[in-house]
Amino acid sequence: MMETVNDMEMDSLDRSLVQALVIDGRAAFSRIAEVLEVSDQTVVRRYRRLRSTGLIRVVGLPLGSRVGLFESWLRVQCAPDAALPVAEALARRPDIAWVTLNSGGTEVHCMTRARTRQDRDALLLDKLPRTRRVTGISAHTILRKFFGGPDSWAGTDVLRPDQIAALERPPAAPAPDAPYVLDAAELALLAVLGRDGRAGYPELARATGLAESTARRRLERLRELGAVFFDVEFVPALFGYEAEATLVLTVPPARLAQVGAALAGHREIAFAAAVTGAASLMAVAVCRDTNALYTYLTERIGAVEGVGHVEVIPSLLSVKRAGMLVEDGRLVDPPPAP
């Protein structure tokens, strides 16, 4: 009999392993085992179980602002019986990274990561408006990320400071003004890492047509430049976080950087960015329960100077997370791109 997600409780070692992978998604299992003070075989066995059951997934992703992707946050309003099919259709698109069902089940939120302006505009101006039962679309360009991507969400905070320091990599080089242009081999490499961030160098070499040593050097170079980062995806409920919500905040331009930095320092925040539109900042909060979310809003958000109106939009269902589909609380591979 297949175990359900509720049956697959994560113990302290599982949680420590997840945080170790959050710090460095491609850290050698032997290194992780040394830091966690267990055997290599134990770490490998635990990782394989967590991955095979869809509880976690390490993925390698391009940093949009560094490689010139056109990133937008979309709010798609739908007829009540159409929201889930629209969300599932969006989740199947390779240029959509995150999809959630929100606001009473009539609104879909998603993050686009288009390679060109034309690709982005085709989705916004042609494909979505022609979709049956879509009643409204608002698109908000991501102007500046304050938290998210390579940043580590504090909800996995179980390791000691010395263990964290032993796993941390040197910071990436400062980003130049011009974006880094990925070549065909690097795009092929990222296609593999987007499905399995711990794919071995032989697999990366086969996908790119490069020698293994060249594939290794190319990936390391991308990491040093900050063009690629490794994300560990999991459903927050596995760590005891049951309440997720999108926050849309109205902040005066003169206060935007200050408020964004304040939110980035809150352990409840998994993502925060300045966006275009009437409200200038959006964030994703992850809390233990609705009572904790209320406390966060009243005591922490309420204490941040410069925050005006706050819209709280509960997330009812996560359909896609960092490129991974979510089915019955488990992460699964998306279908291959056409």
PDB file of all heavy atoms in Angstrom, residues 103-132:
ATOM      1  N   SER A 103      -8.153  32.953  -3.230  1.00  0.00           N
ATOM      2  CA  SER A 103      -9.304  33.845  -3.136  1.00  0.00           C
ATOM      3  C   SER A 103     -10.631  33.143  -3.389  1.00  0.00           C
ATOM      4  O   SER A 103     -11.348  33.448  -4.341  1.00  0.00           O
ATOM      5  CB  SER A 103      -9.131  35.002  -4.125  1.00  0.00           C
ATOM      6  OG  SER A 103     -10.098  36.002  -3.914  1.00  0.00           O
ATOM      7  N   GLY A 104     -10.955  32.182  -2.543  1.00  0.00           N
ATOM      8  CA  GLY A 104     -12.234  31.514  -2.656  1.00  0.00           C
ATOM      9  C   GLY A 104     -12.364  30.595  -3.841  1.00  0.00           C
ATOM     10  O   GLY A 104     -13.468  30.166  -4.189  1.00  0.00           O
ATOM     11  N   GLY A 105     -11.237  30.279  -4.468  1.00  0.00           N
ATOM     12  CA  GLY A 105     -11.255  29.350  -5.584  1.00  0.00           C
ATOM     13  C   GLY A 105     -11.618  29.973  -6.913  1.00  0.00           C
ATOM     14  O   GLY A 105     -11.886  29.253  -7.879  1.00  0.00           O
ATOM     15  N   THR A 106     -11.605  31.299  -7.019  1.00  0.00           N
ATOM     16  CA  THR A 106     -11.945  31.959  -8.286  1.00  0.00           C
ATOM     17  C   THR A 106     -10.771  32.732  -8.878  1.00  0.00           C
ATOM     18  O   THR A 106     -10.926  33.357  -9.921  1.00  0.00           O
ATOM     19  CB  THR A 106     -13.115  32.935  -8.094  1.00  0.00           C
ATOM     20  OG1 THR A 106     -12.746  33.921  -7.118  1.00  0.00           O
ATOM     21  CG2 THR A 106     -14.364  32.198  -7.629  1.00  0.00           C
ATOM     22  N   GLU A 107      -9.624  32.704  -8.225  1.00  0.00           N
ATOM     23  CA  GLU A 107      -8.477  33.467  -8.709  1.00  0.00           C
ATOM     24  C   GLU A 107      -7.239  32.575  -8.726  1.00  0.00           C
ATOM     25  O   GLU A 107      -6.968  31.846  -7.765  1.00  0.00           O
ATOM     26  CB  GLU A 107      -8.235  34.685  -7.808  1.00  0.00           C
ATOM     27  CG  GLU A 107      -7.139  35.607  -8.294  1.00  0.00           C
ATOM     28  CD  GLU A 107      -7.105  36.915  -7.513  1.00  0.00           C
ATOM     29  OE1 GLU A 107      -8.068  37.715  -7.658  1.00  0.00           O
ATOM     30  OE2 GLU A 107      -6.150  37.140  -6.766  1.00  0.00           O
ATOM     31  N   VAL A 108      -6.504  32.628  -9.823  1.00  0.00           N
ATOM     32  CA  VAL A 108      -5.267  31.867  -9.985  1.00  0.00           C
ATOM     33  C   VAL A 108      -4.099  32.848  -9.969  1.00  0.00           C
ATOM     34  O   VAL A 108      -4.129  33.866 -10.664  1.00  0.00           O
ATOM     35  CB  VAL A 108      -5.267  31.077 -11.313  1.00  0.00           C
ATOM     36  CG1 VAL A 108      -3.941  30.347 -11.500  1.00  0.00           C
ATOM     37  CG2 VAL A 108      -6.436  30.099 -11.352  1.00  0.00           C
ATOM     38  N   HIS A 109      -3.093  32.545  -9.162  1.00  0.00           N
ATOM     39  CA  HIS A 109      -1.866  33.329  -9.164  1.00  0.00           C
ATOM     40  C   HIS A 109      -0.755  32.494  -9.802  1.00  0.00           C
ATOM     41  O   HIS A 109      -0.661  31.290  -9.547  1.00  0.00           O
ATOM     42  CB  HIS A 109      -1.438  33.692  -7.738  1.00  0.00           C
ATOM     43  CG  HIS A 109      -2.350  34.665  -7.067  1.00  0.00           C
ATOM     44  ND1 HIS A 109      -2.090  35.180  -5.814  1.00  0.00           N
ATOM     45  CD2 HIS A 109      -3.510  35.232  -7.474  1.00  0.00           C
ATOM     46  CE1 HIS A 109      -3.064  36.008  -5.479  1.00  0.00           C
ATOM     47  NE2 HIS A 109      -3.939  36.055  -6.468  1.00  0.00           N
ATOM     48  N   CYS A 110       0.061  33.140 -10.614  1.00  0.00           N
ATOM     49  CA  CYS A 110       1.198  32.421 -11.177  1.00  0.00           C
ATOM     50  C   CYS A 110       2.340  33.386 -11.436  1.00  0.00           C
ATOM     51  O   CYS A 110       2.149  34.605 -11.517  1.00  0.00           O
ATOM     52  CB  CYS A 110       0.818  31.662 -12.452  1.00  0.00           C
ATOM     53  SG  CYS A 110       0.294  32.708 -13.813  1.00  0.00           S
ATOM     54  N   MET A 111       3.552  32.813 -11.543  1.00  0.00           N
ATOM     55  CA  MET A 111       4.753  33.577 -11.854  1.00  0.00           C
ATOM     56  C   MET A 111       5.258  33.133 -13.218  1.00  0.00           C
ATOM     57  O   MET A 111       5.499  31.944 -13.445  1.00  0.00           O
ATOM     58  CB  MET A 111       5.827  33.332 -10.800  1.00  0.00           C
ATOM     59  CG  MET A 111       5.449  33.773  -9.404  1.00  0.00           C
ATOM     60  SD  MET A 111       5.440  35.568  -9.179  1.00  0.00           S
ATOM     61  CE  MET A 111       7.180  35.921  -9.336  1.00  0.00           C
ATOM     62  N   THR A 112       5.417  34.092 -14.130  1.00  0.00           N
ATOM     63  CA  THR A 112       5.935  33.772 -15.454  1.00  0.00           C
ATOM     64  C   THR A 112       7.436  34.017 -15.493  1.00  0.00           C
ATOM     65  O   THR A 112       7.953  34.904 -14.814  1.00  0.00           O
ATOM     66  CB  THR A 112       5.266  34.624 -16.542  1.00  0.00           C
ATOM     67  OG1 THR A 112       5.734  35.986 -16.435  1.00  0.00           O
ATOM     68  CG2 THR A 112       3.754  34.604 -16.401  1.00  0.00           C
ATOM     69  N   ARG A 113       8.123  33.210 -16.282  1.00  0.00           N
ATOM     70  CA  ARG A 113       9.568  33.362 -16.489  1.00  0.00           C
ATOM     71  C   ARG A 113       9.825  33.199 -17.992  1.00  0.00           C
ATOM     72  O   ARG A 113      10.347  32.182 -18.432  1.00  0.00           O
ATOM     73  CB  ARG A 113      10.344  32.332 -15.676  1.00  0.00           C
ATOM     74  CG  ARG A 113      10.166  32.479 -14.173  1.00  0.00           C
ATOM     75  CD  ARG A 113      10.690  31.275 -13.405  1.00  0.00           C
ATOM     76  NE  ARG A 113      12.088  31.054 -13.602  1.00  0.00           N
ATOM     77  CZ  ARG A 113      13.060  31.639 -12.907  1.00  0.00           C
ATOM     78  NH1 ARG A 113      12.750  32.518 -11.972  1.00  0.00           N
ATOM     79  NH2 ARG A 113      14.324  31.379 -13.136  1.00  0.00           N
ATOM     80  N   ALA A 114       9.443  34.219 -18.757  1.00  0.00           N
ATOM     81  CA  ALA A 114       9.552  34.149 -20.217  1.00  0.00           C
ATOM     82  C   ALA A 114      10.961  34.507 -20.666  1.00  0.00           C
ATOM     83  O   ALA A 114      11.601  35.404 -20.101  1.00  0.00           O
ATOM     84  CB  ALA A 114       8.543  35.086 -20.866  1.00  0.00           C
ATOM     85  N   ARG A 115      11.420  33.809 -21.708  1.00  0.00           N
ATOM     86  CA  ARG A 115      12.756  34.074 -22.214  1.00  0.00           C
ATOM     87  C   ARG A 115      12.835  35.354 -23.026  1.00  0.00           C
ATOM     88  O   ARG A 115      13.862  36.002 -23.073  1.00  0.00           O
ATOM     89  CB  ARG A 115      13.217  32.893 -23.069  1.00  0.00           C
ATOM     90  CG  ARG A 115      14.498  32.248 -22.546  1.00  0.00           C
ATOM     91  CD  ARG A 115      14.896  31.099 -23.442  1.00  0.00           C
ATOM     92  NE  ARG A 115      14.722  29.873 -22.719  1.00  0.00           N
ATOM     93  CZ  ARG A 115      14.706  28.698 -23.269  1.00  0.00           C
ATOM     94  NH1 ARG A 115      14.803  28.587 -24.569  1.00  0.00           N
ATOM     95  NH2 ARG A 115      14.576  27.626 -22.533  1.00  0.00           N
ATOM     96  N   THR A 116      11.731  35.721 -23.671  1.00  0.00           N
ATOM     97  CA  THR A 116      11.707  36.936 -24.481  1.00  0.00           C
ATOM     98  C   THR A 116      10.455  37.740 -24.166  1.00  0.00           C
ATOM     99  O   THR A 116       9.461  37.213 -23.661  1.00  0.00           O
ATOM    100  CB  THR A 116      11.710  36.615 -25.990  1.00  0.00           C
ATOM    101  OG1 THR A 116      10.470  35.989 -26.337  1.00  0.00           O
ATOM    102  CG2 THR A 116      12.871  35.683 -26.350  1.00  0.00           C
ATOM    103  N   ARG A 117      10.513  39.019 -24.501  1.00  0.00           N
ATOM    104  CA  ARG A 117       9.348  39.873 -24.315  1.00  0.00           C
ATOM    105  C   ARG A 117       8.182  39.386 -25.172  1.00  0.00           C
ATOM    106  O   ARG A 117       7.022  39.441 -24.771  1.00  0.00           O
ATOM    107  CB  ARG A 117       9.715  41.312 -24.684  1.00  0.00           C
ATOM    108  CG  ARG A 117       8.657  42.340 -24.304  1.00  0.00           C
ATOM    109  CD  ARG A 117       9.062  43.714 -24.835  1.00  0.00           C
ATOM    110  NE  ARG A 117      10.360  44.107 -24.345  1.00  0.00           N
ATOM    111  CZ  ARG A 117      10.581  44.730 -23.188  1.00  0.00           C
ATOM    112  NH1 ARG A 117       9.543  44.991 -22.404  1.00  0.00           N
ATOM    113  NH2 ARG A 117      11.793  45.079 -22.814  1.00  0.00           N
ATOM    114  N   GLN A 118       8.504  38.879 -26.370  1.00  0.00           N
ATOM    115  CA  GLN A 118       7.459  38.380 -27.269  1.00  0.00           C
ATOM    116  C   GLN A 118       6.731  37.184 -26.657  1.00  0.00           C
ATOM    117  O   GLN A 118       5.507  37.071 -26.756  1.00  0.00           O
ATOM    118  CB  GLN A 118       8.059  38.006 -28.624  1.00  0.00           C
ATOM    119  CG  GLN A 118       8.562  39.185 -29.449  1.00  0.00           C
ATOM    120  CD  GLN A 118       9.898  39.740 -28.958  1.00  0.00           C
ATOM    121  OE1 GLN A 118      10.591  39.103 -28.149  1.00  0.00           O
ATOM    122  NE2 GLN A 118      10.267  40.911 -29.447  1.00  0.00           N
ATOM    123  N   ASP A 119       7.482  36.268 -26.025  1.00  0.00           N
ATOM    124  CA  ASP A 119       6.858  35.113 -25.382  1.00  0.00           C
ATOM    125  C   ASP A 119       5.921  35.557 -24.252  1.00  0.00           C
ATOM    126  O   ASP A 119       4.814  35.023 -24.090  1.00  0.00           O
ATOM    127  CB  ASP A 119       7.920  34.164 -24.827  1.00  0.00           C
ATOM    128  CG  ASP A 119       8.680  33.437 -25.919  1.00  0.00           C
ATOM    129  OD1 ASP A 119       8.187  33.408 -27.061  1.00  0.00           O
ATOM    130  OD2 ASP A 119       9.769  32.902 -25.629  1.00  0.00           O
ATOM    131  N   ARG A 120       6.384  36.518 -23.463  1.00  0.00           N
ATOM    132  CA  ARG A 120       5.551  37.014 -22.367  1.00  0.00           C
ATOM    133  C   ARG A 120       4.277  37.658 -22.904  1.00  0.00           C
ATOM    134  O   ARG A 120       3.172  37.398 -22.427  1.00  0.00           O
ATOM    135  CB  ARG A 120       6.337  38.029 -21.540  1.00  0.00           C
ATOM    136  CG  ARG A 120       5.550  38.610 -20.367  1.00  0.00           C
ATOM    137  CD  ARG A 120       6.158  39.898 -19.863  1.00  0.00           C
ATOM    138  NE  ARG A 120       6.135  40.933 -20.895  1.00  0.00           N
ATOM    139  CZ  ARG A 120       6.698  42.136 -20.759  1.00  0.00           C
ATOM    140  NH1 ARG A 120       7.338  42.432 -19.645  1.00  0.00           N
ATOM    141  NH2 ARG A 120       6.630  43.034 -21.722  1.00  0.00           N
ATOM    142  N   ASP A 121       4.435  38.512 -23.931  1.00  0.00           N
ATOM    143  CA  ASP A 121       3.282  39.228 -24.460  1.00  0.00           C
ATOM    144  C   ASP A 121       2.293  38.282 -25.138  1.00  0.00           C
ATOM    145  O   ASP A 121       1.080  38.515 -25.098  1.00  0.00           O
ATOM    146  CB  ASP A 121       3.746  40.306 -25.442  1.00  0.00           C
ATOM    147  CG  ASP A 121       4.511  41.428 -24.741  1.00  0.00           C
ATOM    148  OD1 ASP A 121       4.458  41.482 -23.501  1.00  0.00           O
ATOM    149  OD2 ASP A 121       5.151  42.232 -25.438  1.00  0.00           O
ATOM    150  N   ALA A 122       2.804  37.210 -25.756  1.00  0.00           N
ATOM    151  CA  ALA A 122       1.903  36.250 -26.394  1.00  0.00           C
ATOM    152  C   ALA A 122       0.989  35.604 -25.363  1.00  0.00           C
ATOM    153  O   ALA A 122      -0.202  35.382 -25.612  1.00  0.00           O
ATOM    154  CB  ALA A 122       2.704  35.186 -27.140  1.00  0.00           C
ATOM    155  N   LEU A 123       1.537  35.302 -24.174  1.00  0.00           N
ATOM    156  CA  LEU A 123       0.713  34.717 -23.107  1.00  0.00           C
ATOM    157  C   LEU A 123      -0.309  35.722 -22.604  1.00  0.00           C
ATOM    158  O   LEU A 123      -1.490  35.402 -22.437  1.00  0.00           O
ATOM    159  CB  LEU A 123       1.611  34.251 -21.961  1.00  0.00           C
ATOM    160  CG  LEU A 123       0.893  33.749 -20.700  1.00  0.00           C
ATOM    161  CD1 LEU A 123       0.117  32.473 -21.001  1.00  0.00           C
ATOM    162  CD2 LEU A 123       1.893  33.504 -19.572  1.00  0.00           C
ATOM    163  N   LEU A 124       0.135  36.966 -22.363  1.00  0.00           N
ATOM    164  CA  LEU A 124      -0.729  37.962 -21.741  1.00  0.00           C
ATOM    165  C   LEU A 124      -1.756  38.542 -22.706  1.00  0.00           C
ATOM    166  O   LEU A 124      -2.883  38.864 -22.303  1.00  0.00           O
ATOM    167  CB  LEU A 124       0.124  39.102 -21.162  1.00  0.00           C
ATOM    168  CG  LEU A 124       1.111  38.724 -20.063  1.00  0.00           C
ATOM    169  CD1 LEU A 124       1.851  39.951 -19.572  1.00  0.00           C
ATOM    170  CD2 LEU A 124       0.404  38.051 -18.909  1.00  0.00           C
ATOM    171  N   LEU A 125      -1.378  38.716 -23.964  1.00  0.00           N
ATOM    172  CA  LEU A 125      -2.236  39.424 -24.906  1.00  0.00           C
ATOM    173  C   LEU A 125      -3.039  38.501 -25.807  1.00  0.00           C
ATOM    174  O   LEU A 125      -4.017  38.936 -26.420  1.00  0.00           O
ATOM    175  CB  LEU A 125      -1.389  40.369 -25.767  1.00  0.00           C
ATOM    176  CG  LEU A 125      -0.573  41.415 -25.003  1.00  0.00           C
ATOM    177  CD1 LEU A 125       0.244  42.252 -25.965  1.00  0.00           C
ATOM    178  CD2 LEU A 125      -1.476  42.303 -24.156  1.00  0.00           C
ATOM    179  N   ASP A 126      -2.616  37.244 -25.918  1.00  0.00           N
ATOM    180  CA  ASP A 126      -3.292  36.349 -26.852  1.00  0.00           C
ATOM    181  C   ASP A 126      -3.859  35.106 -26.162  1.00  0.00           C
ATOM    182  O   ASP A 126      -5.067  34.892 -26.139  1.00  0.00           O
ATOM    183  CB  ASP A 126      -2.323  35.943 -27.968  1.00  0.00           C
ATOM    184  CG  ASP A 126      -2.996  35.070 -29.012  1.00  0.00           C
ATOM    185  OD1 ASP A 126      -4.196  35.273 -29.271  1.00  0.00           O
ATOM    186  OD2 ASP A 126      -2.325  34.168 -29.551  1.00  0.00           O
ATOM    187  N   LYS A 127      -2.967  34.299 -25.571  1.00  0.00           N
ATOM    188  CA  LYS A 127      -3.406  32.991 -25.068  1.00  0.00           C
ATOM    189  C   LYS A 127      -4.390  33.102 -23.906  1.00  0.00           C
ATOM    190  O   LYS A 127      -5.472  32.504 -23.930  1.00  0.00           O
ATOM    191  CB  LYS A 127      -2.188  32.155 -24.670  1.00  0.00           C
ATOM    192  CG  LYS A 127      -1.307  31.741 -25.845  1.00  0.00           C
ATOM    193  CD  LYS A 127      -0.231  30.785 -25.414  1.00  0.00           C
ATOM    194  CE  LYS A 127       0.546  30.251 -26.618  1.00  0.00           C
ATOM    195  NZ  LYS A 127       1.419  31.242 -27.222  1.00  0.00           N
ATOM    196  N   LEU A 128      -4.034  33.844 -22.852  1.00  0.00           N
ATOM    197  CA  LEU A 128      -4.929  33.922 -21.694  1.00  0.00           C
ATOM    198  C   LEU A 128      -6.247  34.631 -22.003  1.00  0.00           C
ATOM    199  O   LEU A 128      -7.317  34.146 -21.605  1.00  0.00           O
ATOM    200  CB  LEU A 128      -4.208  34.598 -20.523  1.00  0.00           C
ATOM    201  CG  LEU A 128      -3.405  33.676 -19.610  1.00  0.00           C
ATOM    202  CD1 LEU A 128      -2.656  34.478 -18.568  1.00  0.00           C
ATOM    203  CD2 LEU A 128      -4.298  32.643 -18.945  1.00  0.00           C
ATOM    204  N   PRO A 129      -6.233  35.775 -22.700  1.00  0.00           N
ATOM    205  CA  PRO A 129      -7.523  36.424 -22.983  1.00  0.00           C
ATOM    206  C   PRO A 129      -8.474  35.558 -23.802  1.00  0.00           C
ATOM    207  O   PRO A 129      -9.693  35.745 -23.739  1.00  0.00           O
ATOM    208  CB  PRO A 129      -7.103  37.681 -23.772  1.00  0.00           C
ATOM    209  CG  PRO A 129      -5.713  37.956 -23.323  1.00  0.00           C
ATOM    210  CD  PRO A 129      -5.104  36.600 -23.116  1.00  0.00           C
ATOM    211  N   ARG A 130      -7.951  34.614 -24.584  1.00  0.00           N
ATOM    212  CA  ARG A 130      -8.805  33.761 -25.397  1.00  0.00           C
ATOM    213  C   ARG A 130      -9.282  32.512 -24.651  1.00  0.00           C
ATOM    214  O   ARG A 130     -10.047  31.718 -25.194  1.00  0.00           O
ATOM    215  CB  ARG A 130      -8.056  33.331 -26.667  1.00  0.00           C
ATOM    216  CG  ARG A 130      -7.775  34.472 -27.629  1.00  0.00           C
ATOM    217  CD  ARG A 130      -6.900  34.006 -28.788  1.00  0.00           C
ATOM    218  NE  ARG A 130      -6.579  35.086 -29.681  1.00  0.00           N
ATOM    219  CZ  ARG A 130      -7.311  35.453 -30.733  1.00  0.00           C
ATOM    220  NH1 ARG A 130      -8.424  34.773 -31.005  1.00  0.00           N
ATOM    221  NH2 ARG A 130      -6.960  36.455 -31.506  1.00  0.00           N
ATOM    222  N   THR A 131      -8.779  32.328 -23.421  1.00  0.00           N
ATOM    223  CA  THR A 131      -9.147  31.147 -22.648  1.00  0.00           C
ATOM    224  C   THR A 131     -10.581  31.275 -22.133  1.00  0.00           C
ATOM    225  O   THR A 131     -10.948  32.279 -21.524  1.00  0.00           O
ATOM    226  CB  THR A 131      -8.187  30.961 -21.453  1.00  0.00           C
ATOM    227  OG1 THR A 131      -6.859  30.853 -21.939  1.00  0.00           O
ATOM    228  CG2 THR A 131      -8.540  29.706 -20.673  1.00  0.00           C
ATOM    229  N   ARG A 132     -11.386  30.260 -22.400  1.00  0.00           N
ATOM    230  CA  ARG A 132     -12.768  30.272 -21.961  1.00  0.00           C
ATOM    231  C   ARG A 132     -12.859  30.367 -20.436  1.00  0.00           C
ATOM    232  O   ARG A 132     -12.085  29.758 -19.729  1.00  0.00           O
ATOM    233  CB  ARG A 132     -13.491  29.012 -22.426  1.00  0.00           C
ATOM    234  CG  ARG A 132     -13.672  28.917 -23.929  1.00  0.00           C
ATOM    235  CD  ARG A 132     -14.393  27.638 -24.322  1.00  0.00           C
ATOM    236  NE  ARG A 132     -15.758  27.587 -23.790  1.00  0.00           N
ATOM    237  CZ  ARG A 132     -16.129  26.741 -22.848  1.00  0.00           C
ATOM    238  NH1 ARG A 132     -15.259  25.893 -22.319  1.00  0.00           N
ATOM    239  NH2 ARG A 132     -17.384  26.726 -22.419  1.00  0.00           N
TER     240      ARG A 132
END
